[in-house]
Amino acid sequence: MLVDAPAAARHGGDMTTILVTGSSRGIGAAIASTLGELPDTRVLGHATRSGIAADLSQADAPARLWAEALEQAGGAIDVLVNNAGIFEASPLDADDWSDSWARTMQVNLTASAELCRLAVLHWQARGVGGRIVNIASRAAYRGDSPAHWHYAASKGGMVAMTKTIARGYAAQGILAFAVCPGFTMTGMADDYLASRGGDKLLADIPLGRVASPEEVAATVRFLCTDAPPSMTGAVLDVNGASYVR
Ligand SMILES: NC(=O)c1ccc[n+]([C@@H]2O[C@H](COP(=O)([O-])OP(=O)(O)OC[C@H]3O[C@@H](n4cnc5c(N)ncnc54)[C@H](OP(=O)(O)O)[C@@H]3O)[C@@H](O)[C@H]2O)c1
């Protein structure tokens, strides 16, 4: 039987419950605030030490986060937004290159994968559909700087994982999308722009400016609510045409 995941999959009663990771600042804060304006919607936020607190560099954190979110949600989560991520430079000659690789993979990819896995199992156990929105990056397609092999690889992995989930569970109404922002003006992008000479970097963006967190949030809101089920597996770019594929 085909199970359709309706707009803002309303399977938890009247309320739609959305878990957003990394909602303390930057893109995640904009996503949580935009989703919080939707009617009949409860947003559960998360960060290292705020919202539902869990440090995703720790292997057991995703399971603890999911369990706590489920408890706060009264046993039903409808949408998962994997946004938490790190962008830490790791030059090739750094002594801790391997540790840095492992940490970025753990936070950006493995923790997201664990949460996706728990979400899929949760929806399957309840016999309902659900939606996953994974925040990847333009780096998934374009690559990143020589100090960010791990970052680009983690985001490429996220895109491949999202497509796999979309193909695997569409018939059960479980939909998965990815968003690939280019430079987005948050704390993270500020540092990067400054380290890369600001204006020169902007010249590579035909739109003439970096994206705003609100633009990424509007894209996520669409994917959490109105995006038609046939879009499952789609990867949406938000990068001012700086990388067109
Ligand atoms: N900004 C960009 O230019 C850009 C471009 C493409 C993709 N992205 C992606 O968009 C997402 C958000 O980026 P952003 O720029 O908004 O980042 P940000 O401002 O640095 O915020 C990162 C968020 O992730 C959380 N986080 C980081 N490490 C964590 C950990 N170990 N455990 C739990 N939470 C952790 C942070 O929580 P704390 O406050 O507790 O640290 C914070 O809420 C990331 O996945 C990033 O890769 C960003």
Side-chain angles (χ1 to χ4, degrees), residues 82-200:
N82 274 311
N83 164 79
I86 52 175
F87 181 74
E88 296 175 348
S90 178
L92 289 192
D93 57 0
D95 289 340
D96 65 348
W97 193 88
S98 301
D99 291 344
S100 184
W101 174 278
R103 178 177 149 76
T104 290
M105 285 297 166
Q106 182 67 38
V107 174
N108 290 6
L109 183 57
T110 310
S112 299
E114 291 273 9
L115 289 169
C116 286
R117 182 173 78 89
L118 292 165
V120 169
L121 289 171
H122 170 67
W123 293 323
Q124 287 178 329
R126 287 171 54 211
V128 301
R131 290 180 183 232
I132 290 170
V133 180
N134 287 327
I135 310 302
S137 167
R138 179 183 74 163
Y141 291 98
R142 184 182 179 267
D144 212 295
S145 86
H148 292 94
W149 290 19
H150 51 6
Y151 181 80
S154 72
K155 296 302 188 176
M158 209 175 198
V159 168
M161 176 178 76
T162 304
K163 292 178 178 177
T164 303
I165 294 168
R167 289 174 56 78
Y169 312 100
Q172 296 165 43
I174 296 171
L175 312 179
F177 309 94
V179 179
C180 285
F183 293 118
T184 306
M185 196 44 88
T186 64
M188 199 182 207
D190 275 342
D191 295 346
Y192 194 94
L193 279 175
S195 71
R196 295 280 158 144
D199 286 352
K200 226 169 90 189

Side-chain angles (χ1 to χ4, degrees), residues 2-85:
L2 284 180
V3 184
D4 213 9
R10 294 183 192 285
H11 297 294
D14 291 339
M15 294 291 282
T16 295
T17 301
I18 306 178
L19 172 61
V20 181
T21 69
S23 62
S24 58
R25 53 198 164 86
I27 292 170
I31 292 171
S33 142
T34 298
L35 295 177
E37 289 166 7
L38 292 168
D40 303 321
T41 300
R42 172 173 38 189
V43 178
L44 299 176
H46 149 268
T48 313
R49 277 174 288 276
S50 56
I52 302 175
D55 180 350
L56 295 178
S57 67
Q58 305 301 308
D60 63 344
R64 282 190 289 105
L65 165 58
W66 185 259
E68 176 64 29
L70 262 188
E71 190 169 324
Q72 289 195 19
I77 293 172
D78 304 293
V79 182
L80 166 67
V81 181
N82 274 311
N83 164 79

